[in-house]
Structures are given as structure tokens and as C-alpha cells.
Amino acid sequence: MVRSLFLLFSVTVCLKGYADINLTSLSSRAIQEWDVEVFSGETIYSIGEYKGRLGLKALSNNTASGLVLKKQIDLTKTPYLSWSWLVEKQLLELEERSKSGDDFTARIYVVIDGGLLFWRTQSLNYVWSSNQEKGLVWNNPFAGSNVKMISIQGKASKTGHWYEEKRNVYQDLINTLGDKGSEEENRKAYKYIDIIAIMTDTDNSEKDAESYYGDIVFSTM
């Protein structure tokens, strides 16, 4: 028992040695260091108070652009991704598994960059789905099995309400992109992500959307 407690204490101390990584720090406007990536018209992003908290407001009117941060995160040290979000204006009657319906009022990407071997690039999209249930996983209609969509919120989720989310990204990568068969091989494949992105887009459906994002933070637990 004493040895077990010592080991537990040692692991806890080790984990606490890794500081949380706040990638947006909205209060200090660190989000302004993120790059703008425009695909089809520019979604308007701005920082302000909304329903009791500071948030990143996203307004899309038949547009698709995102905010992108190129930063390597070691998921063996900080595997958990936490954020909050709120949707005020939802997209309805979309077939999100099709190219024509691949629009989301709110989504957060994590990307393993394949570099010059672009076909090795892999990604998870944590999305707020307009017409599907929570907890579903599917292939992106444009990128196929290398990009997995996960509906964190779904059609029954409330609009105008802040939701708090927390995901073990490392485990999500293994579960959705494929278990490599051993912890060593999984670490080789999924230890790092290289890019994080936020996007509210409505270019395929040609509709309007309004959403809000809280701080995006990686942590040990």
C-alpha cells in the first residue's frame, strides 16, 4: 500500500510539472496571433462579452474562413483539450456527411501535419452538428478517412447556452484513426499534433450562422 501511494504521488507530481497551455487567452487577446485562412469568403471573428463570459464571436454569411495556429502539442504530456462554445444561430436541414452539407456553426480542428507527404496529414474535427445526434463519428466528405468528424454537440443541443467540453485528444486519435496495436506504435503515430484551428463556415449551404468560442486549453488531466 505504501509503495502504491508513493507511485501515485510520483505520477501526480510529474503531471503537475506540465503547465496548462491556453492557446487563445482571450483576455490577453493571444488569439490575434492566429493566422486567418480563407477558403470562400471571410467569416468575421471578434472578441467580446456574451452571456456572462468572454468569447470569440464568429459570424458566417455564406463564408468559410478559419483561424489557424501552427503549434506542436505533445499529447503524451497534455492530452486533454478543453473549451466552451455557444451557438446562437443554427444551421438546419443539412446533410453534413455530404460535400454540399459540410458546414458547421462551430468546429475545432486538431491536425497531424504530413508535411511534404501531404497524404499522411490526419485530422479530427470536433463539431457542433445541426442535424445529427451527439457522439457520432464519420469521414469528412472531402478528405475521406484521414479526417474524422466527431459530433460533440448535436441537433438536440440548446442554442444560446454555453457548453463546457473536455476531450482526451490522444485517445480520440487512437479510437477514430486506428489503434496501431501497441502503446509504442500509438505514441509514434499520435504523440504530436501540429496545427489547431477554429472555423464557423456556411459556404456550401449558403446560409448564416452565429457562434461563440471560449478559451482553448490543453492540459494534463
Side-chain angles (χ1 to χ4, degrees):
M1 176 63 74
V2 173
R3 184 168 181 266
S4 298
L5 290 173
F6 174 75
L7 288 173
L8 177 61
F9 176 76
S10 299
V11 170
T12 303
V13 169
C14 180
L15 287 174
K16 287 184 176 179
Y18 301 115
D20 291 353
I21 305 170
N22 189 331
L23 299 176
T24 50
S25 296
L26 295 175
S27 60
S28 61
R29 297 183 177 268
I31 187 67
Q32 293 178 345
E33 299 174 4
W34 291 42
D35 296 323
V36 177
E37 186 76 30
V38 179
F39 300 97
S40 177
E42 194 163 345
T43 300
I44 300 171
Y45 297 96
S46 59
I47 300 173
E49 292 282 343
Y50 193 73
K51 293 197 174 181
R53 66 177 70 186
L54 192 63
L56 177 71
K57 181 179 181 179
L59 285 176
S60 178
N61 180 5
N62 188 21
T63 57
S65 71
L67 301 178
V68 179
L69 180 67
K70 294 181 180 179
K71 182 179 179 63
Q72 192 172 76
I73 302 292
D74 186 339
L75 296 179
T76 63
K77 296 178 180 177
T78 53
Y80 289 96
L81 172 62
S82 300
W83 75 95
S84 59
W85 53 3
L86 177 152
V87 163
E88 194 59 66
K89 190 171 184 180
Q90 185 64 287
L91 296 170
L92 302 175
E93 300 176 357
L94 292 183
E95 179 44 67
E96 295 164 336
R97 296 176 185 242
S98 69
K99 290 182 178 180
S100 62
D102 185 45
D103 284 342
F104 295 93
T105 48
R107 60 167 129 188
I108 295 175
Y109 297 76
V110 294
V111 182
I112 300 171
D113 188 6
L116 294 177
L117 305 177
F118 61 89
W119 58 88
R120 292 188 180 178
T121 295
Q122 297 176 296
S123 175
L124 292 183
N125 274 217
Y126 295 114
V127 302
W128 187 307
S129 174
S130 298
N131 71 346
Q132 301 191 74
E133 302 292 344
K134 291 172 57 174
L136 299 181
V137 179
W138 65 96
N139 293 341
N140 181 272
F142 289 98
S145 60
N146 275 9
V147 177
K148 297 293 186 179
M149 318 297 286
I150 305 178
S151 55
I152 305 302
Q153 294 297 332
K155 61 183 181 181
S157 301
K158 297 178 182 177
T159 57
H161 175 78
W162 281 104
Y163 285 90
E164 306 287 341
E165 314 291 2
K166 189 170 189 177
R167 303 292 302 190
N168 184 329
V169 177
Y170 179 70
Q171 193 60 53
D172 281 345
L173 289 168
I174 294 172
N175 292 344
T176 61
L177 293 174
D179 191 329
K180 302 303 181 181
S182 70
E183 183 58 27
E184 181 182 358
E185 291 303 314
N186 282 331
R187 283 175 178 264
K188 286 181 182 178
Y190 305 127
K191 181 177 182 179
Y192 295 109
I193 58 169
D194 306 293
I195 300 169
I196 302 93
I198 297 167
M199 189 163 75
T200 293
D201 61 306
T202 62
D203 60 318
N204 295 309
S205 61
E206 300 181 352
K207 295 180 182 294
D208 299 335
E210 177 182 346
S211 58
Y212 298 80
Y213 302 84
D215 277 329
I216 295 173
V217 180
F218 277 90
S219 62
T220 58
M221 59 181 64

